[in-house]
Amino acid sequence: PGSDARREILEHARALRLADVIVLNEVDWGMKRTDYRNIAADLAARLGMNYAFGVQFVELSPVYLSKELKQNAETEDELANIIKVDPERYKGFHGIAILSRFPLENARLAPFEHQPYDWYKSEKKGASILEKGRRKLADKVFLEKTLREVRRGGRASLLADIVDERFPGGRVTIAATHLENRTKSAGRVRQLEELLALIKDINN
């Protein structure tokens, strides 16, 4: 209480309460790092909004990395914190969400055809020399350990219609996306071109 961090969080909360539509990336459902909560549902309930959630990935890291992490963990606490999950609560879903004060209809997930990074094969194999360098830098500069993320799925766009008679035509289509970060900009351009082609005939 009274801290700058708390004041900043409350400021963000006030801004969220004023929004009619909120688009979120990196949204967890049933992940240990967010206490196994359904983040989109929790935020929507707290803000009095409707929501749509699209799964991009199912995280498999706790299974595939457990042996490797056991060898590298410095303490038992660190090991437990990294790999031990509650199988009754773990879903491992990770994706995109749209929150709206208006009713949502016709929610649909559109995976990109162009997936320039294979999160399953590449992460299972291990980071490239360049990626290892990036992660080492992140650890030193930002004090942020980047673990491998072995997961199934791929980048996608989540589309949903918000419905209200005050809109021209009675609805507006929201397109939320998360372009691939593990690629050069040309890879993201191809994904963006796919999204633009997907929405070009939508009149809302």
Side-chain angles (χ1 to χ4, degrees):
S3 69
D4 287 342
R6 184 178 176 85
R7 276 193 290 274
E8 186 179 350
I9 288 168
L10 291 174
E11 204 172 294
H12 288 301
R14 278 191 290 274
L16 288 174
R17 286 191 187 95
L18 294 173
D20 290 322
V21 176
I22 300 170
V23 173
L24 301 169
N25 284 333
E26 306 277 344
V27 182
D28 289 350
W29 180 3
M31 298 280 286
K32 182 180 179 184
R33 64 187 172 207
T34 42
D35 198 29
Y36 305 102
R37 294 165 68 178
N38 181 342
I39 298 299
D42 287 354
L43 281 172
R46 184 60 60 96
L47 295 169
M49 300 175 94
N50 303 295
Y51 80 97
F53 175 70
V55 177
Q56 286 186 298
F57 296 102
V58 177
E59 299 281 354
L60 304 173
S61 299
V63 176
Y64 282 100
L65 300 184
S66 59
K67 286 182 185 175
E68 182 179 313
L69 290 166
K70 278 179 187 174
Q71 293 169 357
N72 296 331
E74 293 176 11
T75 67
E76 284 297 315
D77 286 344
E78 183 183 350
L79 177 65
N81 193 38
I82 291 169
I83 63 166
K84 191 175 180 184
V85 296
D86 181 344
E88 298 294 318
R89 298 163 68 200
Y90 189 79
K91 290 182 177 21
F93 297 151
H94 185 68
I96 312 169
I98 298 171
L99 280 64
S100 170
R101 297 209 181 281
F102 304 96
L104 286 166
E105 291 182 359
N106 195 22
R108 63 258 191 219
L109 192 66
F112 289 114
E113 286 182 31
H114 179 62
Q115 299 283 349
Y117 188 78
D118 187 326
W119 283 88
Y120 181 72
K121 287 182 182 170
S122 300
E123 292 288 300
K124 199 171 167 195
K125 186 170 56 179
S128 67
I129 292 170
L130 179 62
E131 184 59 28
K132 282 178 183 172
R134 281 188 191 137
R135 292 178 186 187
K136 195 169 187 178
L137 182 67
D139 189 17
K140 284 185 188 262
V141 176
F142 301 110
L143 304 176
E144 184 177 281
K145 286 203 180 294
T146 308
L147 298 172
R148 285 177 23 223
E149 295 177 273
V150 179
R151 53 193 185 173
R152 288 286 195 188
R155 302 295 182 185
S157 296
L158 175 65
L159 291 87
D161 297 344
I162 57 176
V163 182
D164 190 277
E165 61 186 13
R166 293 169 289 181
F167 298 138
R171 66 184 55 232
V172 172
T173 300
I174 303 293
T177 195
H178 191 172
L179 305 178
E180 184 55 68
N181 62 310
R182 297 272 173 92
T183 184
K184 294 180 179 175
S185 55
R188 287 187 287 278
V189 168
R190 282 186 63 183
Q191 290 182 327
L192 194 54
E193 286 169 347
E194 277 187 54
L195 175 58
L196 293 173
L198 178 69
I199 65 172
K200 73 181 174 65
D201 294 327
I202 299 173
N203 296 319
N204 309 312

